[in-house]
Amino acid sequence: MNPIAAIGRLSLDIFGEIGRMTTFAVEGALAAVTPPFYWRPFLQSLARIGYASLPVVGLTAIFTGGALALNIYEGSIFPDANAFIPQILGVSIVRELGPVLASLMVAGRCSSAMAAEIGAMRVTQQIDAMSTLSVNPFRYLVGPRILATTIAMPILVLIADIIGVYGGYLVSVYLLDMSAPIYINALIDFISHDDVTSGLIKATVFGFLIAVTGCYYGYRSGGGATGVGNATRTAVVAAAVLIFAANYALTSLFVDF
Amino acid sequence: MSEQTAKIEISGLHKSFGANHVLRGIDLDVAPGKSLVVIGGSGSGKSVLLKSVLGLIKPDRGTMKVDGRDVARHSASDKKFVAEQTGMLFQGSALFDSLTVWENVAFRLLYGEHKSRTKSKDKAIDCLAQVGLTAEVGELRPSELSGGMQKRVSLARAIAADPQILFFDEPTTGLDPIMSDVINNLIVDRVKAIGATAVSITHDMKSACKIADEIAMLYQGVIIWRGPPDELEDSGNPMVDQFVHGRADGPIQMQVRRYGKK
């Protein structure tokens, strides 16, 4: 095999996939914000993606906050290390760990579910059936999911931020003997409005990416159960990679500004 | 076609998937209010033909007129026009798992025509009654129904908006002989009741003879015979004869490759 041809084919495949997904994302965004709106599937998606993800996001946040507090305390070279805990923990949770970890958990839960559900609908001709019933399946299936995930994600991350910081509070106050008022005051003094906003902007972008990848791979799946399985796996991996890449890009942007 | 304008008119329809030429110039027309059944072996292109007319697959070339309008360009307005005129019963029923039975039947009314849930539910229950199902069934999920009931629900969904054209894709596949006959009777009854034009594809000869005003046979991407059901036995076409009698030997050779043989 000619290695140059192989590289060329691979490059074309990669750029082709990026192009298709970008087109899908733009069309999906338009379907989410232009009529006709399908309120029932939107509210169902909001409940499934937002409300049902609360336990897993909350647990992830509380344990991450607790572990982070311990690490800051144990890793510090200063004798009064616990004084730094609220500041470092607060900024880490609100800017990075809250949005990224919550989004990864939601990607695992929801991106896979979207790919599997839409993929199964594709292979059982339910999407074809929708077209024959005068309903645009893209608008009915993709638009509400993108809108719901994009709205739900910042709310989930805000809750994850609060729970994560509370996890750090529990460890700091009850395990490391830190004063509760000092922890709370240090947190309030150190976390800025911009820290919270940047985290929530990230969460909105991540929510959009989670829904787009789940819907994209589900909508394009074929080849029976194997095809749906592949779509599900690829959706989760793609969502995770895109979250990390977008996190870096957005962090660079926020640091510059 | 005679003096009457055809409800569906297909001319020189071609469709290939890579090197596989599935449709090789289909010419077919269906008069208003008539029931045409297209028969043919597995892989002969029946489903591709149906999906092309429905706008689910874009044909490579040829013309397709539905109610006088050429829809072969496959534009969004063409697809919308076809969807508004037609109802379809899918081979696997294709009911929406996440919705109740009545929501499935009323799907077009709820989400296509944006009618109220109360009015849509009333219409759905009426349609379910037309196919012999009670209002209680309407509250169930499709996964709670037997195959025969799923076909009935799919038929109810197809007729819910009183379409002018009905398509049936293998309506009796996977059903026992009695349930097949029940579905065939329902199809004949409902098509006549709403005065629709019907196009069905099947390889169930009993079903074909029961629901058809005319039968056309598709073989290797072209229509090789067309006539009324009572002429099927004496078609004079050896391929039709072999298919109708289900003989392995004859001019139609199935593409079977055995292990170890090229």
Side-chain angles (χ1 to χ4, degrees):
Chain A
M1 183 195 273
N2 183 350
I4 295 171
I7 292 167
R9 259 195 297 276
L10 183 68
S11 306
L12 283 175
D13 286 348
I14 291 170
F15 285 116
E17 189 71 359
I18 291 169
R20 281 188 292 273
M21 198 186 273
T22 306
T23 308
F24 188 93
V26 172
E27 287 174 354
L30 285 173
V33 296
T34 54
F37 295 109
Y38 296 109
W39 293 108
R40 191 163 280 265
F42 164 72
L43 293 172
Q44 283 168 343
S45 298
L46 201 59
R48 263 189 287 182
I49 296 156
Y51 181 70
S53 295
L54 270 174
V56 71
V57 167
L59 284 170
T60 307
I62 200 160
F63 288 124
T64 304
L68 197 59
L70 281 177
N71 273 315
I72 296 164
Y73 180 78
E74 292 294 332
S76 175
I77 55 169
F78 301 110
D80 56 343
N82 58 3
F84 299 106
I85 292 175
Q87 293 137 347
I88 300 173
L89 182 138
V91 172
S92 308
I93 292 274
V94 170
R95 278 196 192 174
E96 292 291 328
L97 294 176
V100 172
L101 291 181
S103 300
L104 287 175
M105 296 311 289
V106 174
R109 255 195 99 248
C110 302
S111 197
S112 55
M114 285 181 213
E117 191 180 353
I118 297 175
M121 290 183 77
R122 168 69 73 195
V123 299
T124 55
Q125 292 190 301
Q126 290 178 49
I127 289 178
D128 286 345
M130 220 171 262
S131 298
T132 67
L133 294 166
S134 298
V135 176
N136 181 335
F138 187 86
R139 297 198 74 98
Y140 182 85
L141 295 171
V142 178
R145 281 171 172 80
I146 287 182
L147 189 62
T149 320
T150 309
I151 289 172
M153 212 52 233
I155 299 167
L156 278 172
V157 165
L158 194 61
I159 295 166
D161 288 349
I162 294 164
I163 295 174
V165 167
Y166 181 65
Y169 170 90
L170 290 177
V171 169
S172 304
V173 173
Y174 295 105
L175 211 65
L176 306 176
D177 294 327
M178 190 175 180
S179 153
I182 290 175
Y183 181 94
I184 293 165
N185 286 331
L187 206 64
I188 292 168
D189 287 344
F190 205 77
I191 296 178
S192 70
H193 181 261
D194 288 348
D195 294 331
V196 179
T197 310
S198 68
L200 296 184
I201 291 170
K202 282 181 179 181
T204 309
V205 174
F206 298 163
F208 178 75
L209 293 173
I210 288 166
V212 165
T213 47
C215 293
Y216 174 76
Y217 287 105
Y219 210 79
R220 286 172 47 84
S221 76
T226 309
V228 177
N230 287 337
T232 307
R233 188 182 57 240
T234 315
V236 177
V237 174
V241 171
L242 283 174
I243 286 168
F244 285 123
N247 184 51
Y248 177 77
L250 289 170
T251 303
S252 307
L253 201 70
F254 295 140
V255 166
D256 288 343
F257 287 96
Chain B
M1 200 72 224
S2 58
E3 60 280 352
Q4 219 171 5
T5 307
K7 198 76 177 167
I8 299 169
E9 206 173 343
I10 298 166
S11 176
L13 196 71
H14 287 257
K15 180 66 191 175
S16 301
F17 296 96
N20 184 16
H21 305 299
V22 181
L23 304 181
R24 299 163 184 254
I26 298 273
D27 297 311
L28 205 60
D29 51 59
V30 193
K34 294 291 178 191
S35 174
L36 175 76
V37 173
V38 180
I39 59 170
S42 301
S44 60
K46 304 188 298 294
S47 292
V48 174
L49 171 64
L50 211 58
K51 285 182 176 179
S52 299
V53 181
L54 280 164
L56 300 173
I57 291 176
K58 189 180 181 185
D60 297 333
R61 61 193 154 98
T63 59
M64 285 188 306
K65 286 184 181 172
V66 173
D67 216 7
R69 172 173 168 162
D70 190 354
V71 294
R73 286 174 302 132
H74 205 251
S75 67
S77 66
D78 288 343
K79 285 193 265 188
K80 187 168 179 282
F81 176 78
V82 172
E84 283 167 358
Q85 306 278 315
T86 58
M88 166 84 177
L89 187 152
F90 283 84
Q91 185 176 353
S93 297
L95 298 174
F96 308 124
D97 312 308
S98 57
L99 304 179
T100 60
V101 165
W102 81 260
E103 286 172 324
N104 265 279
V105 175
F107 191 83
R108 185 200 294 255
L109 307 175
L110 284 169
Y111 300 107
E113 299 174 13
H114 303 284
K115 292 197 171 151
S116 75
R117 286 181 74 79
T118 315
K119 272 188 181 174
S120 303
K121 190 170 185 178
D122 289 345
K123 177 72 179 174
I125 289 169
D126 179 48
C127 291
L128 286 170
Q130 288 179 42
V131 297
L133 296 173
T134 60
E136 287 73 40
V137 174
E139 301 300 332
L140 301 174
R141 299 268 164 180
S143 57
E144 296 174 272
L145 306 179
S146 67
M149 285 170 91
Q150 287 186 6
K151 290 274 185 185
R152 288 190 200 206
V153 174
S154 190
L155 177 58
R157 184 174 68 179
I159 62 173
D162 300 320
Q164 294 182 35
I165 303 167
L166 281 163
F167 293 101
F168 302 101
D169 183 2
E170 308 276 9
T172 56
T173 297
L175 301 179
D176 65 69
I178 296 169
M179 185 51 75
S180 296
D181 205 43
V182 170
I183 295 293
N184 288 335
N185 287 339
L186 280 171
I187 288 173
V188 172
D189 178 52
R190 288 298 93 206
V191 168
K192 279 188 181 154
I194 60 175
T197 305
V199 179
S200 314
I201 57 172
T202 185
H203 44 228
D204 176 350
M205 295 315 302
K206 206 174 162 191
S207 174
C209 291
K210 186 140 194 173
I211 63 181
D213 292 320
E214 266 199 307
I215 294 177
M217 178 152 169
L218 185 61
Y219 178 63
Q220 290 192 337
V222 289
I223 300 293
I224 57 166
W225 181 84
R226 182 175 178 169
D230 52 9
E231 286 180 15
L232 200 60
E233 288 287 334
D234 303 307
S235 65
N237 185 315
M239 283 180 279
V240 175
D241 198 44
Q242 184 194 352
F243 186 83
V244 169
H245 294 101
R247 289 193 290 261
D249 297 322
I252 300 173
Q253 293 299 306
M254 300 305 285
Q255 299 287 317
V256 178
R257 181 189 287 176
R258 290 181 185 163
Y259 290 107
K261 289 194 171 186
K262 287 188 179 176

